[in-house]
Structures are given as C-alpha cells and as structure tokens.
Amino acid sequence: MFPLKLAFISPHFEGETIAIRLKLVPRLQLLPRGKDIISVLLAILGITITSGVCYMTLCQAHPIFASEGQHFSLITKAEFLTAAQIEEKEYEAWLNRTNIKYKGLITSRPAKGIIHVKTKRWINGKPIKVNIVEINPKANSKLQIKPKTASTILNKKANIRNIAKEENSIIAINGGYFKPQTGVPLGALMIDKNVLTGPIYNRVALGINNDGTFSMDKSDINIEIKGKKAQIKADNINQPRMLSTYTIVYTEKWGKMTPPAPKYGMSIAIKDSTILNYNYGSIEIPKGGFAIVGPKQNIEKLLGDKKIKMDINFPESFNKSEHIIAGGPYLVKNGQMYVDIKEQKFGAINGKNPRTAIGYTKNNEIIIITIDGREETSVGMTLWETSKLMKDLGCEFAMNLDGGGSSVMYVNGKIENSPPYKEGIAISNAIVVNEINQETKIVANNKDADI
C-alpha cells in the first residue's frame, strides 16, 4: 500500500506547465484491513481537495487562464488593437447596423463612415420626399463636420454649391437662420473656437466637440469687457441691434464700420488691449481688434483704461466645442419628441414646409435630413412631423435649421433634393462634411480664438 502525501506545490513554471510534485511514501508496516480502507479514503479526499484548490488558485492567479461563467478557456496571448483596427471594427459594426436600418431604401455611401438615403413617406395620404445622411466620425477619423460661412465677412451670401466647393466638401446642407437683406447669421455661430455671432432669443444650438462628441443646448452667451478700473457686460456680438439699451461688440467679420451708435450712445475701438478711438456715431473696426457700440453711460466707464480684454463664454454644455451653430426650435430632447416653438420665439413656421434638421444618436452618429415641400410630389412636413422622423431615425437630440427656400442637400457634387428654387437660394452659412488628413486636423484643433 502506498498512500499519497502532498509534498509541495512548485511556485515556478516549466514552459506552460505548472509543476505539482507529489511524494510517494511507502508503508513498511501492514495495517489492519479497516485502517487500510480509511487510509485510502483519506488519501483520495486529500488529493481531491488539494487538486481543486490548486486548480482554482491557478485560474485566478495566472494570466493564461480566464473564466467565462461555468467554463474556463485558455488565452495564449493578450489582444491589443491599434487605433486603425478599432476604427475598422467600428466601421464594420456601423455598416451592418445601417444595412439593417435602411434596408429596402435607395442608399449610397459617398465616403467611409457616411451613408446617403433617399426615401418617400406618406402622411395622411400625402407624399413627402426625404433625403437622409448619417455620419459616423468614429468609423472614419478623417471626417470633419463644421459650419462654414459664405464669405470671410458676415454680410455675404452664396449658394450651397459654391460654399461646398471651397473645401471640396463631401456633404453640405444649409445652416442656421440669417438676415435676408444682408446675410448676417441670426443666432450663435462659432467656427474653430472663433465666436462670429451671438445668440438670438437664446435659441438652441449644436456643439461639435473636440473629443468626437456633440452637444445641444440653449446658446446663452456671457460677454465681459474688463479693464483695470472698470468692467462692463455686452449683450451680443456681431448681431443687429434689437434694443437701444443693448451694448454690442463688433469684430472685423462684421465689416469695416460698425452700425451707428444709438441715441445717447457711444462707440469705442480697441486693439491689443488699447483704446484706439471713440466717438458718438459709427466707428471703424480695427483689424485684429474689436469695437463696442452702446449707451454712453455704459461704455464711457472704459475710457482711461490702458489694458482692456474681452471674455466670451457659452454655457458649460459647450466647454469642449470647437464649433457651434444655432437653429431652432428643438425637435428631440433626451430621446423624446420636443418642439418649443413659443419658448424660442418663432412665428408661424409650423405649417407643412421644406425642412432641414440635424441631430445625433446616443452613439454620436450625426443625422441630417432635408424634406422637400411646396410641390405636388412632396408637400413638406410640420415641425412635429419632423420631430417624429428625427426620433424614428434614432436621434437623442435634434433641432430644426433654416428651411423653406434655403433647404438644400449637397452630396458629392450633386444637389440631391428638390428645393423650391433651383439649387436653393443664396445662404449665409452651411454645415459641411470634409475628409481631411490627420495633420490638418491637428493644426485646426490647435487654433486659438482670434477675437
């Protein structure tokens, strides 16, 4: 009889095998039969317990073992994915999702990470033609989504084809509202961290963030002009005056001269923190500087200060935003249909009209749509009908953009919708999608605001 006794468990490994040494101890003395049985049973019990403890210890302690529920599998090598491999996996998963999502519809893929869909819907027996573009920036790191103005100054307009051609854009849609007479955007607009215009009625805006995510919130703005002796607040930047009591900041993006000062008002020009000039009418806007126009009792507080600077801040939701563009009203908020026409002070725009809208999903895929209207083959949609469509497309947040004659969708050099006017009317700004190299993207992200 040779009962087994545990000698030791080796703490070292021989190749991929864990060495467990057991010592055989011969029994030189014969035991009575009953004791032999007990000895065998105790030996078996000892081996069973020891083996179980060793096995569980190895499974928990050694990196080549992995537990999956009640099963154990051997992992021979850790898997590390490169950024390119992660992107490719994201693209393949998104490709499968969109193939299912838009099954049976007319689709094209103008670039990696972009799908264009053409479809027709029927509401109360009336047809509506819809163009949809879904963009997944995680599936193509070369994609860049941003607003773009028609010109380097704000009081210019151009059709969407000309705006898109400047940067060889893959996708372009019309952007936010603008003053028809001048082309100045009516609402918040920031491009490459440079604030071009401030909000109107605190309307909703889309933020395109530096980490590949998106934000949507009301676009309230806080503008402070600070000197050593005095500090004043401005009501807006590069916007038409709505009240005589408003203090407005104008940059060279506005043009060469400011609008006239209001009655009992004053204008002041500042560059490199220094007051260059002031008067009581219109004033020249210095290049690389700014001018302030408003009530005299407000602005004259700055006179005599030698170091003046301006701070502009949007709500915390936009802290990471490289670009901001306003629209309105909301269409989807926190995954629910939400249309706040009265709160955002819109007039009678809820009828069936051509529409442009933008939103994003929980996975940070951008959804943009145009809806044709004012024709027999497509009657347009109300804001609530557009809200339902954006929710059905998976938007967590969405907002309306300028519509009517402005609604145009450009895809790879072609106008894909049927605007009321051929190729759409001249517009102030657009949202474009470009494919750029990584070096260009890094340079753009490192730009400082040039206010």
Side-chain angles (χ1 to χ4, degrees), residues 30-41:
L30 293 176
L31 298 175
R33 184 178 182 84
K35 289 184 179 180
D36 284 345
I37 294 171
I38 292 171
S39 179
V40 170
L41 291 175

PDB file of all heavy atoms in Angstrom, residues 30-41:
ATOM      1  N   LEU A  30       2.306  -3.330   7.623  1.00  0.00           N
ATOM      2  CA  LEU A  30       0.963  -3.691   7.214  1.00  0.00           C
ATOM      3  C   LEU A  30      -0.019  -3.242   8.275  1.00  0.00           C
ATOM      4  O   LEU A  30       0.194  -3.426   9.469  1.00  0.00           O
ATOM      5  CB  LEU A  30       0.871  -5.221   7.035  1.00  0.00           C
ATOM      6  CG  LEU A  30       1.693  -5.792   5.874  1.00  0.00           C
ATOM      7  CD1 LEU A  30       1.590  -7.337   5.879  1.00  0.00           C
ATOM      8  CD2 LEU A  30       1.188  -5.233   4.556  1.00  0.00           C
ATOM      9  N   LEU A  31      -1.120  -2.661   7.828  1.00  0.00           N
ATOM     10  CA  LEU A  31      -2.167  -2.198   8.738  1.00  0.00           C
ATOM     11  C   LEU A  31      -3.348  -3.151   8.668  1.00  0.00           C
ATOM     12  O   LEU A  31      -3.527  -3.855   7.674  1.00  0.00           O
ATOM     13  CB  LEU A  31      -2.607  -0.797   8.346  1.00  0.00           C
ATOM     14  CG  LEU A  31      -1.527   0.288   8.425  1.00  0.00           C
ATOM     15  CD1 LEU A  31      -2.079   1.596   7.900  1.00  0.00           C
ATOM     16  CD2 LEU A  31      -1.052   0.456   9.867  1.00  0.00           C
ATOM     17  N   PRO A  32      -4.125  -3.146   9.682  1.00  0.00           N
ATOM     18  CA  PRO A  32      -5.354  -3.947   9.604  1.00  0.00           C
ATOM     19  C   PRO A  32      -6.212  -3.475   8.445  1.00  0.00           C
ATOM     20  O   PRO A  32      -6.125  -2.335   8.001  1.00  0.00           O
ATOM     21  CB  PRO A  32      -6.025  -3.676  10.963  1.00  0.00           C
ATOM     22  CG  PRO A  32      -4.918  -3.211  11.847  1.00  0.00           C
ATOM     23  CD  PRO A  32      -3.934  -2.541  10.976  1.00  0.00           C
ATOM     24  N   ARG A  33      -7.074  -4.326   7.950  1.00  0.00           N
ATOM     25  CA  ARG A  33      -7.884  -4.045   6.764  1.00  0.00           C
ATOM     26  C   ARG A  33      -8.706  -2.776   6.920  1.00  0.00           C
ATOM     27  O   ARG A  33      -8.786  -1.946   6.013  1.00  0.00           O
ATOM     28  CB  ARG A  33      -8.800  -5.250   6.506  1.00  0.00           C
ATOM     29  CG  ARG A  33      -9.620  -5.110   5.245  1.00  0.00           C
ATOM     30  CD  ARG A  33     -10.454  -6.369   5.036  1.00  0.00           C
ATOM     31  NE  ARG A  33     -11.205  -6.266   3.829  1.00  0.00           N
ATOM     32  CZ  ARG A  33     -10.761  -6.553   2.615  1.00  0.00           C
ATOM     33  NH1 ARG A  33      -9.526  -6.976   2.477  1.00  0.00           N
ATOM     34  NH2 ARG A  33     -11.532  -6.438   1.553  1.00  0.00           N
ATOM     35  N   GLY A  34      -9.324  -2.566   8.093  1.00  0.00           N
ATOM     36  CA  GLY A  34     -10.161  -1.377   8.308  1.00  0.00           C
ATOM     37  C   GLY A  34      -9.356  -0.106   8.188  1.00  0.00           C
ATOM     38  O   GLY A  34      -9.781   0.881   7.603  1.00  0.00           O
ATOM     39  N   LYS A  35      -8.152  -0.140   8.759  1.00  0.00           N
ATOM     40  CA  LYS A  35      -7.312   1.065   8.696  1.00  0.00           C
ATOM     41  C   LYS A  35      -6.839   1.318   7.275  1.00  0.00           C
ATOM     42  O   LYS A  35      -6.649   2.452   6.858  1.00  0.00           O
ATOM     43  CB  LYS A  35      -6.124   0.910   9.631  1.00  0.00           C
ATOM     44  CG  LYS A  35      -6.504   0.970  11.096  1.00  0.00           C
ATOM     45  CD  LYS A  35      -5.277   0.920  11.990  1.00  0.00           C
ATOM     46  CE  LYS A  35      -5.678   1.017  13.459  1.00  0.00           C
ATOM     47  NZ  LYS A  35      -4.504   0.980  14.344  1.00  0.00           N
ATOM     48  N   ASP A  36      -6.607   0.245   6.490  1.00  0.00           N
ATOM     49  CA  ASP A  36      -6.205   0.421   5.082  1.00  0.00           C
ATOM     50  C   ASP A  36      -7.291   1.161   4.309  1.00  0.00           C
ATOM     51  O   ASP A  36      -7.025   2.044   3.498  1.00  0.00           O
ATOM     52  CB  ASP A  36      -5.958  -0.939   4.422  1.00  0.00           C
ATOM     53  CG  ASP A  36      -4.612  -1.517   4.866  1.00  0.00           C
ATOM     54  OD1 ASP A  36      -3.798  -0.735   5.428  1.00  0.00           O
ATOM     55  OD2 ASP A  36      -4.399  -2.698   4.613  1.00  0.00           O
ATOM     56  N   ILE A  37      -8.541   0.771   4.524  1.00  0.00           N
ATOM     57  CA  ILE A  37      -9.662   1.412   3.826  1.00  0.00           C
ATOM     58  C   ILE A  37      -9.729   2.890   4.189  1.00  0.00           C
ATOM     59  O   ILE A  37      -9.894   3.764   3.341  1.00  0.00           O
ATOM     60  CB  ILE A  37     -10.986   0.702   4.170  1.00  0.00           C
ATOM     61  CG1 ILE A  37     -10.964  -0.724   3.606  1.00  0.00           C
ATOM     62  CG2 ILE A  37     -12.175   1.475   3.621  1.00  0.00           C
ATOM     63  CD1 ILE A  37     -12.113  -1.581   4.058  1.00  0.00           C
ATOM     64  N   ILE A  38      -9.600   3.169   5.499  1.00  0.00           N
ATOM     65  CA  ILE A  38      -9.657   4.565   5.957  1.00  0.00           C
ATOM     66  C   ILE A  38      -8.519   5.363   5.348  1.00  0.00           C
ATOM     67  O   ILE A  38      -8.686   6.499   4.904  1.00  0.00           O
ATOM     68  CB  ILE A  38      -9.591   4.622   7.499  1.00  0.00           C
ATOM     69  CG1 ILE A  38     -10.872   4.018   8.093  1.00  0.00           C
ATOM     70  CG2 ILE A  38      -9.396   6.056   7.978  1.00  0.00           C
ATOM     71  CD1 ILE A  38     -10.829   3.832   9.590  1.00  0.00           C
ATOM     72  N   SER A  39      -7.327   4.740   5.285  1.00  0.00           N
ATOM     73  CA  SER A  39      -6.147   5.422   4.732  1.00  0.00           C
ATOM     74  C   SER A  39      -6.369   5.766   3.263  1.00  0.00           C
ATOM     75  O   SER A  39      -6.040   6.853   2.794  1.00  0.00           O
ATOM     76  CB  SER A  39      -4.909   4.535   4.891  1.00  0.00           C
ATOM     77  OG  SER A  39      -3.776   5.174   4.333  1.00  0.00           O
ATOM     78  N   VAL A  40      -6.933   4.828   2.509  1.00  0.00           N
ATOM     79  CA  VAL A  40      -7.201   5.063   1.079  1.00  0.00           C
ATOM     80  C   VAL A  40      -8.191   6.200   0.900  1.00  0.00           C
ATOM     81  O   VAL A  40      -8.026   7.088   0.073  1.00  0.00           O
ATOM     82  CB  VAL A  40      -7.711   3.777   0.402  1.00  0.00           C
ATOM     83  CG1 VAL A  40      -8.227   4.079  -1.009  1.00  0.00           C
ATOM     84  CG2 VAL A  40      -6.613   2.741   0.344  1.00  0.00           C
ATOM     85  N   LEU A  41      -9.262   6.129   1.699  1.00  0.00           N
ATOM     86  CA  LEU A  41     -10.281   7.175   1.589  1.00  0.00           C
ATOM     87  C   LEU A  41      -9.720   8.546   1.919  1.00  0.00           C
ATOM     88  O   LEU A  41     -10.016   9.547   1.254  1.00  0.00           O
ATOM     89  CB  LEU A  41     -11.457   6.842   2.524  1.00  0.00           C
ATOM     90  CG  LEU A  41     -12.304   5.636   2.117  1.00  0.00           C
ATOM     91  CD1 LEU A  41     -13.354   5.342   3.185  1.00  0.00           C
ATOM     92  CD2 LEU A  41     -12.962   5.859   0.767  1.00  0.00           C
TER      93      LEU A  41
END
